[in-house]
Amino acid sequence: MALKDILTIVDLSGPQPAPKYALELGRQYDAHVTGLAIAFEPVVPAFAAAPMPVDYLEAAHEQAVGAAKDAQKQFDELARLSGDKSESRVEEILTGGPLESVLQHCRTTDLVVIGQTNPDTPEPMRELLIETVLFESGVPVLLVPYIGVSDYTPNNVLIAWDGSSTATRAIHAALPMLDKSDKITVLVVEKKKTEGTGGQPGAEIATYLARHGLDVTIDVVTNPQTGIADTLLNYVSDHGNDLVVMGGYGHSRMREFLFGGATREILEAMTVPVLMAH
């Protein structure tokens, strides 16, 4: 499937690494890019001893909407300079409340681009937003490191392959980007060597990608001395990969989304963009 429609969450402050990446993808693929700025309205404590003053609530609302509109203007200027086909929107939500209104924007696009949580300038609900979009939108998500990237064209892509349906969906979503890359490595991490499995691990997906005209190398790490997340992160550091493609894992309980261990660790420590699907 061609990459023709991209949505990016606009940061409320900072250098906008995710929107910049989304706009560059839009330029490369002649795609329409939508910037979504979120206004986080404050929560009125239910246990407050007295009703919150109306003027305070109005001022807090105006501040939240104003910050989102400022971010929207910043995106619009970036889009103007890039020459992309674009539009921008503002969505108001209650801090800590449901994200269904945000998901509605995400479900009619090919790819959602979101910035990694920035510990220096944390934003409300960023981690929950990432989890919710990944698990509930039905759309692949591209996470961009908060430190930004030096090259917006992935040339050395790492595919974390475990044979799962989530990894398969991530690969399908990444095909337009894989088609422009110079090097693709399918990495299989085996916690222990399996005998008599009949063929090299990862050979089937490598064959599938080869039929799409892609040159693929398979690398197998057996019995790693670290966990899955650290193994992947170390591999990226050692081999200079500039994009990771992988499945995202988690489950829902009491409307709270919990990442699987490897997924969470990678998103916390990632230094290159990560394309995930669930």
Side-chain angles (χ1 to χ4, degrees):
M1 182 183 295
L3 188 58
K4 290 301 178 183
D5 195 288
I6 302 168
L7 183 139
T8 182
I9 304 297
V10 182
D11 296 329
L12 296 179
S13 62
Q16 305 291 346
K20 288 178 180 177
Y21 202 101
L23 288 166
E24 179 58 25
L25 287 178
R27 186 192 67 78
Q28 293 178 29
Y29 296 97
D30 191 29
H32 183 277
V33 183
T34 299
L36 179 64
I38 303 175
F40 296 93
E41 296 206 35
V43 178
V44 178
F47 52 82
M52 300 293 289
V54 174
D55 56 348
Y56 168 81
L57 295 175
E58 290 179 348
H61 173 265
E62 291 176 1
Q63 183 179 16
V65 173
K69 288 185 175 179
D70 287 344
Q72 180 186 30
K73 291 177 183 177
Q74 189 174 0
F75 171 82
D76 288 340
E77 177 62 14
L78 290 172
R80 184 188 69 80
L81 293 174
S82 70
D84 283 73
K85 297 177 290 186
S86 66
E87 65 178 285
S88 60
R89 307 169 186 169
V90 171
E91 183 65 43
E92 299 180 31
I93 66 170
L94 187 66
T95 302
L99 292 169
E100 183 59 33
S101 60
V102 174
L103 291 174
Q104 293 300 323
H105 294 278
C106 298
R107 287 176 176 144
T108 52
T109 191
D110 295 324
L111 179 68
V112 178
V113 183
I114 309 178
Q116 179 191 31
T117 299
N118 187 339
D120 297 325
T121 56
E123 295 196 7
M125 302 176 66
R126 176 53 61 97
E127 185 172 311
L128 180 62
L129 178 64
I130 293 171
E131 297 174 5
T132 303
V133 173
L134 176 60
F135 295 131
E136 291 295 301
S137 70
V139 175
V141 176
L142 179 64
L143 277 298
V144 180
Y146 71 86
I147 59 174
V149 298
S150 58
D151 191 347
Y152 292 91
T153 303
N155 294 310
N156 184 4
V157 181
L158 178 67
I159 297 174
W161 177 246
D162 60 2
S164 66
S165 59
T166 55
T168 301
R169 287 200 65 241
I171 290 173
H172 288 169
L175 281 175
M177 301 174 74
L178 296 176
D179 189 50
K180 290 181 177 290
S181 63
D182 297 327
K183 182 179 180 181
I184 302 169
T185 302
V186 172
L187 180 66
V188 179
V189 180
E190 291 187 322
K191 293 185 178 180
K192 61 179 181 179
K193 182 66 177 179
T194 54
E195 301 295 341
T197 55
Q200 183 181 21
E204 297 87 351
I205 194 65
T207 299
Y208 166 78
L209 293 171
R211 289 172 182 154
H212 281 268
L214 304 175
D215 186 13
V216 181
T217 300
I218 301 173
D219 202 350
V220 180
V221 175
T222 303
N223 192 24
Q225 301 304 302
T226 60
I228 298 294
D230 284 339
T231 300
L232 290 176
L233 293 168
N234 291 339
Y235 193 96
V236 169
S237 177
D238 293 341
H239 294 82
N241 304 103
D242 46 28
L243 176 68
V244 175
V245 177
M246 62 179 290
Y249 298 92
H251 61 275
S252 176
R253 182 193 303 167
M254 299 294 289
R255 296 175 65 95
E256 293 183 0
F257 296 97
L258 306 175
F259 275 136
T263 307
R264 180 181 294 278
E265 291 170 20
I266 287 170
L267 294 188
E268 289 177 349
M270 57 186 267
T271 56
V272 300
V274 177
L275 193 153
M276 285 188 171
H278 177 68

